[in-house]
Amino acid sequence: MQRPKVAIVTGAATGIGRACAERLARDGFSVVLNYRSRKAEMDTLVASLAGDHLAVQGDISNPDAASGLIEAAIGKYGRVDVLVNSAGVFEEHDIASLDYATWQSSWAHTLQTNLAGPMNACFCAAKHMMKQQSGKIINISSRGAFRGEPHAPAYGASKSGLNSASQSLAKALGSYGIYVFAVAPGWVETPMVASYLSGASGNEIRQQTPLGRTARPEEIANVVSFLAADGSDYLTGSIIDVNGASYLRN
């Protein structure tokens, strides 16, 4: 019997990462689920999934945690076929109201978590994928990479950098049979943005799209599932907008 393919999902305890892990498990992958601190949520998730899966604790912003995640997957399954970089942070850091030290701290934390961390995971996964001569890397970006984030400029910059890095890796790794994509959602119903959606700005946010609502995490996971499956190879290097026509770019 052929062994299942192996997918790694960072930030898998909640939100988009959780939905991706659930969908890939249904697709037949053995899933390595990374989480930072939400052990209770992770335990519940793993117990709900059919098949053979592995939870690995670690803060993806830590280079050792990024490499350890990949090694845990290799140690248990002997290969890695798909990497989904979903872990991320969104911190408001308004230039008009912050002191310099807080400004620096917010930039460092955001860029390390949203850009350096995913790229460290990409590096470690790609080294194994190159030996296999196959693999998919799917980085979760954001609409904020294109429209600007005046109250969270490091977030916008980190996601723009993630897009550019994804395209660079697509060129660097294509000859090894490794395909790299970025998925750029708009507002998604996740715990990270729950306070915005339930607050005074919630209705305005929902009206940014002609659909009159925000995305569900499962809708982002559906796109990730398509990219992880056979037949999506020629999309390598693409940045795929999933924002309900809320922001159309040239």
Side-chain angles (χ1 to χ4, degrees):
M1 180 182 295
Q2 186 176 9
R3 296 178 66 183
K5 288 187 175 181
V6 178
I8 299 172
V9 181
T10 71
T14 63
I16 293 172
R18 185 185 185 98
C20 289
E22 291 173 329
R23 176 56 191 266
L24 292 172
R26 290 199 303 273
D27 290 344
F29 285 86
S30 289
V31 184
V32 179
L33 306 102
N34 158 257
Y35 69 102
R36 182 172 64 89
S37 60
R38 297 176 179 267
K39 187 177 188 303
E41 289 94 330
M42 180 54 63
D43 289 344
T44 300
L45 173 58
V46 172
S48 72
L49 300 178
D52 177 32
H53 310 289
L54 175 67
V56 179
Q57 190 277 333
D59 185 342
I60 202 66
S61 68
N62 183 324
D64 291 336
S67 61
L69 173 63
I70 308 305
E71 291 308 315
I74 296 299
K76 181 172 177 64
Y77 300 109
R79 63 182 295 113
V80 54
D81 299 286
V82 174
L83 169 65
V84 181
N85 276 309
S86 180
V89 295
F90 179 91
E91 294 182 356
E92 289 198 354
H93 43 283
D94 193 328
I95 193 170
S97 60
L98 292 187
D99 60 83
Y100 190 35
T102 306
W103 172 262
Q104 292 178 73
S105 175
S106 190
W107 271 87
H109 182 227
T110 299
L111 290 177
Q112 187 63 34
T113 304
N114 292 1
L115 181 55
M119 285 302 106
N120 287 338
C122 285
F123 177 92
C124 296
K127 289 295 188 179
H128 292 283
M129 291 175 174
M130 291 164 78
K131 297 174 186 176
Q132 298 168 184
Q133 293 287 295
S134 66
K136 302 280 187 77
I137 295 173
I138 305 165
N139 294 317
I140 304 301
S141 178
S142 171
R143 180 185 72 164
F146 307 107
R147 67 173 191 161
E149 294 287 352
H151 301 295
Y155 180 81
S158 70
K159 295 300 187 177
S160 293
L162 189 61
N163 288 346
S164 178
S166 298
Q167 292 178 321
S168 295
L169 289 182
K171 286 193 169 187
L173 298 174
S175 63
Y176 295 94
I178 303 168
Y179 310 108
V180 187
F181 319 91
V183 176
W187 287 92
V188 184
E189 296 173 7
T190 67
M192 189 167 71
V193 302
S195 62
Y196 295 92
L197 297 178
S198 63
S201 61
N203 189 58
E204 185 276 327
I205 290 170
R206 286 183 280 274
Q207 294 308 311
Q208 290 177 13
T209 162
L211 304 184
R213 64 175 178 84
T214 53
R216 297 181 292 272
E218 306 82 59
E219 293 176 299
I220 313 306
N222 289 342
V223 177
V224 169
S225 172
F226 167 74
L227 294 172
D230 295 338
S232 64
D233 302 357
Y234 214 71
L235 278 169
T236 192
S238 295
I239 301 167
I240 301 168
D241 294 323
V242 191
N243 61 49
S246 63
Y247 186 78
L248 300 176
R249 58 192 171 89
N250 293 328

